[in-house]
Amino acid sequence: MLDQVSKSVFYINYYFQGEPFLHPGFLNLIKDAKEHKIYTATSTNAHFINEKKAKEIVQSGLDRLIISIDGLTQKTYENYRVKGQLKKVINGTELLINAKKELKSKTPHLIFQFLAVKPNEHEINDVFQLGKKMGIDEVRIKSAQLYDYKNGNPLMPENEKYSRYRKQTDGTYKLKMKTGNHCWRMWSSSVLTWDGKVVPCCFDKDANHVLGTIKNNSFKEVWSSSIYNKFRQSVLTHRNQIDICKNCSEGAKVWL
């Protein structure tokens, strides 16, 4: 796959609805991409990072690593990260910071990502202080995408500035941003699932819109296929009727 796209691809996000470090050979994928001079990024819950793995991550050449820290106490953290352990996130982060120092590496750029939801919104200011104290490169607050939002949702922040949704006069909620018949993603990127399926974007979380597979065709053939172009055309004509587009954040301010 890298051989096929390396002349046109310059950035790969190595994550899609799962924990990358459950893959035993994950860092080999990073190394292969770096040999093609491609910028690499991934996201982790940091539950599977020990001292050895932290050093391997730094040595792999990974450029950017998002660490999901969605609460500053175990109680708030597990409201969203069900059965997760905050202490593992903190420990994994510390090991990564120490590995970067030991190996005198500027990469990966470490980002604390804090998903703003009702149980943790009171901790938003504090996560910046924690990031600074630990030596994290960047802290980012992200609004949450909620599937069931029309009549409110237990995860919806009380402070509307942290939410993607606005309350209307009838008490129901709607997306803050207006969606139109456009989407730059259709011409700039694709998502490949673990089994080689090509789907239009990261909002197709269950791979319901398979546009081809690299098992049967080259990526170039899939990218230029009639089924792919038909999907692009549907985005340009009736985007709001496409299920994965109805709750899409395209054009919205998701980073707060």
Side-chain angles (χ1 to χ4, degrees), residues 69-72 76 114-124:
I69 180 166
D70 303 315
L72 298 186
T76 55
F114 193 88
L115 198 66
V117 289
K118 185 175 181 178
N120 70 18
E121 62 182 307
H122 64 285
E123 297 174 337
I124 287 177

Side-chain angles (χ1 to χ4, degrees), residues 186 190 197-201 204 208-213 217 221-223 225-232:
M186 295 300 99
S190 287
K197 295 173 184 174
V198 181
V199 298
C201 72
D204 190 5
N208 291 323
H209 298 271
V210 179
L211 304 174
T213 170
N217 301 95
E221 289 171 333
V222 175
W223 179 259
S225 67
S226 59
I227 187 173
Y228 213 134
N229 285 326
K230 184 178 179 180
F231 187 85
R232 293 186 179 103

Side-chain angles (χ1 to χ4, degrees), residues 85-116:
Q85 296 181 41
L86 179 61
K87 63 181 180 181
K88 287 188 175 182
V89 182
I90 300 298
N91 183 61
T93 301
E94 290 175 339
L95 291 173
L96 285 164
I97 292 170
N98 291 337
K100 283 180 63 177
K101 290 178 180 177
E102 181 180 336
L103 297 169
K104 298 179 180 179
S105 176
K106 293 183 178 180
T107 57
H109 182 76
L110 298 177
I111 300 173
F112 260 169
Q113 179 177 286
F114 193 88
L115 198 66

Side-chain angles (χ1 to χ4, degrees), residues 140-154:
R140 305 188 82 177
I141 311 300
K142 188 177 184 180
S143 60
Q145 179 195 19
L146 304 173
Y147 284 108
D148 184 14
Y149 65 84
K150 185 175 181 180
N151 295 306
N153 187 297

Side-chain angles (χ1 to χ4, degrees), residues 115-179:
L115 198 66
V117 289
K118 185 175 181 178
N120 70 18
E121 62 182 307
H122 64 285
E123 297 174 337
I124 287 177
N125 291 332
D126 293 335
V127 73
F128 287 95
Q129 297 301 318
L130 177 63
K132 183 178 180 180
K133 180 181 178 181
M134 293 184 68
I136 283 288
D137 297 306
E138 186 179 354
V139 176
R140 305 188 82 177
I141 311 300
K142 188 177 184 180
S143 60
Q145 179 195 19
L146 304 173
Y147 284 108
D148 184 14
Y149 65 84
K150 185 175 181 180
N151 295 306
N153 187 297
L155 290 175
M156 191 177 291
E158 291 185 2
N159 190 330
E160 201 171 89
K161 74 176 183 179
Y162 299 136
S163 176
R164 295 186 189 184
Y165 312 95
R166 177 178 289 113
K167 192 172 186 178
Q168 303 180 95
T169 54
D170 64 359
T172 62
Y173 292 82
K174 70 173 184 178
L175 281 167
K176 285 181 178 179
M177 68 285 187
K178 295 181 180 179
T179 57

